[in-house]
Amino acid sequence: MLASDTSPPATPSRPKALWRRWLIWVPLLLLCLAAGGWLGLKYSTTGRQAALASGYIAQVTCSCRFVSERDMASCDTDREPGTEIVQVEEDSANRTITAKVPLLSRRISRFDPEYGCTLVAP
């Protein structure tokens, strides 16, 4: 007759199971914190100021570039202090200026010879 094995069945080691949980929950927690931080900035006073600044810079730069027919380097001197974070891109073919604050706001101003520069709805 064979002797039966009385040892309990093998279970995964506790530290290894705990490590697997950490690999799942830590990135998920970091993603939630990052999303919460971004939403907090976007919909706070900072986000509204970013939208205002990008719209203002788009409009001023469009008027400078297409109405006054100055070059972009000259138009950079028209910017107000504190708007250095706003990035400006020109599309000469469509006669538009895009001003954006990274991750927070983006506004486009389009030039029409009859109406001048107008902000495009976001």
Side-chain angles (χ1 to χ4, degrees), residues 21-92:
R21 280 192 211 134
W22 276 95
L23 284 177
I24 293 170
W25 288 105
V26 168
L28 186 62
L29 177 66
L30 291 175
L31 180 67
C32 288
L33 287 173
W38 178 78
L39 286 171
L41 278 175
K42 179 127 178 104
Y43 296 107
S44 69
T45 305
T46 304
R48 287 186 291 244
Q49 288 175 344
L52 181 66
S54 60
Y56 174 75
I57 293 298
Q59 194 70 1
V60 167
T61 306
C62 179
S63 297
C64 173
R65 180 70 183 103
F66 299 118
V67 175
S68 300
E69 297 179 351
R70 293 167 42 198
D71 61 353
M72 286 296 286
S74 173
C75 292
D76 283 340
T77 61
D78 293 346
R79 295 176 76 152
E80 292 291 325
T83 59
E84 294 84 14
I85 194 169
V86 180
Q87 300 172 355
V88 179
E89 298 171 2
E90 175 188 9
D91 183 4
S92 296

Side-chain angles (χ1 to χ4, degrees), residues 95-111:
R95 299 187 96 172
T96 61
I97 298 291
T98 302
K100 61 184 174 181
V101 176
L103 301 176
L104 291 178
S105 177
R106 178 175 174 260
R107 297 299 306 262
I108 298 172
S109 183
R110 177 172 288 124
F111 175 73

